[in-house]
Amino acid sequence: MSDEPIRLAVVGLGKIAADQHLPAIARDANFTLAATVSPNHAGVDGVSHYKTLDALLAGETAIDAVALCVPPQVRYDLAARSLSHGLHVFLEKPPGATLSEVAALVAQANASGATLFASWHSRYAAGVAPAKAWLAERTVRGATIAWREDVRVWHPGQAWIWEPGGLGVFDPGINALSIATHIMPQPIFLQSAKLFTPANRAAPIAADLTFRDIAGATITMDLDWRQTGPQSWDIAVETDQGTLSLAKGGAVLTLPGGEHRGDDGEYPRLYARFAQLVQQRASDVDTDPMRLVADAFLRGTRVTVERFDD
Ligand code: NAP
């Protein structure tokens, strides 16, 4: 790593920027927070703030990279503009609103030599790497995914999430798929899907999905945003040598031999990975989780359910 920290601008000062990005950047010596961009936010004390990315690019603040923490529907234009200025780009998940725009960004990054990082934060949860290593030596017989949370608690007033491209319940659900596509030893593909969409919304509030792996194991997925009380972000995988369970979004791993609880270092590990990619001038863009979601929208049966109001 060069001695000079990467001068980073965080674009989109919403929930995830405040909860995770700003604290992770503050603790990582590879980065310095050089600027922020957000149309309706006052910014961070002592850091240059701009209302738009164009204002930042036209301004005095020197930057090397951007972290785009905006809704997916506006991400492509911001990423393309950043790459065209030679900046390295960290994309929050999902990497875009469509697969074709992500492919266009990959081509642009490859041509420019800048780093493009499509981050999947759940892959950096503490239990995920040991789960992947354990499953690599076993035969999977089947798996279940239950991702049930209360949308009013986790996404209050986020209008974009209900709009086309906002993914609805797949906004958290894609995190489960980012883990599943990473830890399962065989490729998985969509077999069937049922999408439940409120009468007044464009995106689903719940979904039942079935996937298979290429060896024939079935993976079922229960996604629901109407959960009150205990929330679940759980994956269980049956193998020829017992059951693996990942709970709390990948943070807690239980194997037949016992439990593994790690730290809460998802975003610090994500930023360490971004720093490594920038140093190597490499990109890391895996669209497998997003392809499964796109397949659910392509193949799924639509069911209209009762209105949902925040
Ligand atoms: P959010 O709270 O709605 O924040 C999004 C922010 O983007 C808003 O604050 C808005 O700024 C800003 N923005 C919108 N258009 C912009 C533009 N053209 N230029 C600059 N800023 C713009 O959403 P979020 O929950 O942080 O989610 C953002 C992304 O992170 C989503 O893709 C989501 O899936 C992902 N994510 C979220 C979570 C989570 O727990 N919430 C976890 C992991 C990943 P103003 O407020 O200034 O208008």
Side-chain angles (χ1 to χ4, degrees):
M1 184 64 51
S2 111
D3 290 342
E4 293 301 316
I6 298 160
R7 295 165 298 183
L8 182 70
V10 171
V11 181
L13 290 177
K15 185 172 189 313
I16 197 60
D19 289 356
Q20 299 289 350
H21 287 258
L22 296 178
I25 294 161
R27 288 201 300 265
D28 189 332
N30 292 311
F31 295 94
T32 184
L33 181 63
T36 53
V37 175
S38 212
N40 300 296
H41 199 284
V44 174
D45 275 352
V47 177
S48 303
H49 182 72
Y50 298 84
K51 296 269 180 213
T52 65
L53 178 66
D54 282 345
L56 166 63
L57 296 174
E60 303 278 290
T61 312
I63 57 169
D64 306 303
V66 292
L68 301 183
C69 307
V70 294
Q73 295 98 329
V74 299
R75 198 163 298 147
Y76 171 79
D77 285 333
L78 298 170
R81 193 115 178 76
S82 301
L83 288 170
S84 71
H85 277 71
L87 301 173
H88 308 293
V89 176
F90 177 129
L91 301 169
E92 249 301 350
K93 49 68 46 173
T98 67
L99 285 163
S100 48
E101 70 185 31
V102 180
L105 290 178
V106 170
Q108 193 183 344
N110 288 344
S112 77
T115 289
L116 181 66
F117 180 33
S119 69
W120 296 108
H121 65 88
S122 294
R123 287 185 176 172
Y124 293 77
V128 172
K132 181 178 172 69
W134 192 82
L135 284 173
E137 292 165 13
R138 282 155 181 94
T139 301
V140 170
R141 304 242 194 262
T144 57
I145 301 171
W147 231 248
R148 301 176 64 89
E149 63 177 42
D150 186 343
V151 65
R152 289 191 171 92
V153 171
W154 299 101
H155 302 280
Q158 289 185 339
W160 60 265
I161 218 162
W162 294 103
E163 295 299 324
L167 297 190
V169 74
F170 286 95
D171 175 83
I174 203 168
N175 296 332
L177 292 173
S178 76
I179 296 175
T181 49
H182 188 60
I183 65 173
M184 294 292 275
Q186 306 281 352
I188 67 175
F189 59 94
L190 184 93
Q191 200 165 32
S192 65
K194 207 181 256 190
L195 310 183
F196 302 92
T197 304
N200 59 332
R201 301 288 187 170
I205 195 165
D208 291 335
L209 306 118
T210 306
F211 303 92
R212 277 179 49 201
D213 76 7
I214 58 172
T218 297
I219 300 117
T220 60
M221 183 173 193
D222 166 16
L223 276 180
D224 208 320
W225 251 350
R226 298 165 297 190
Q227 179 81 359
T228 54
Q231 312 276 291
S232 32
W233 299 281
D234 301 328
I235 299 176
V237 186
E238 300 290 336
T239 77
D240 58 335
Q241 294 172 51
T243 302
L244 171 153
S245 301
L246 274 172
K248 299 196 183 303
V252 180
L253 170 66
T254 307
L255 297 171
E259 189 178 278
H260 170 96
R261 260 173 204 273
D263 56 12
D264 187 21
E266 278 182 31
Y267 276 80
R269 283 190 280 274
L270 269 186
Y271 272 96
R273 173 74 175 140
F274 185 44
Q276 180 190 51
L277 290 168
V278 170
Q279 186 195 23
Q280 297 168 346
R281 294 292 185 272
S283 288
D284 176 353
V285 182
D286 177 11
T287 50
D288 284 358
M290 193 167 163
R291 195 167 56 200
L292 293 177
V293 173
D295 281 356
F297 280 91
L298 277 172
R299 185 82 166 88
T301 302
R302 267 46 171 201
V303 181
T304 302
V305 296
E306 68 182 60
R307 291 177 57 89
F308 176 85
D309 295 297
D310 275 323

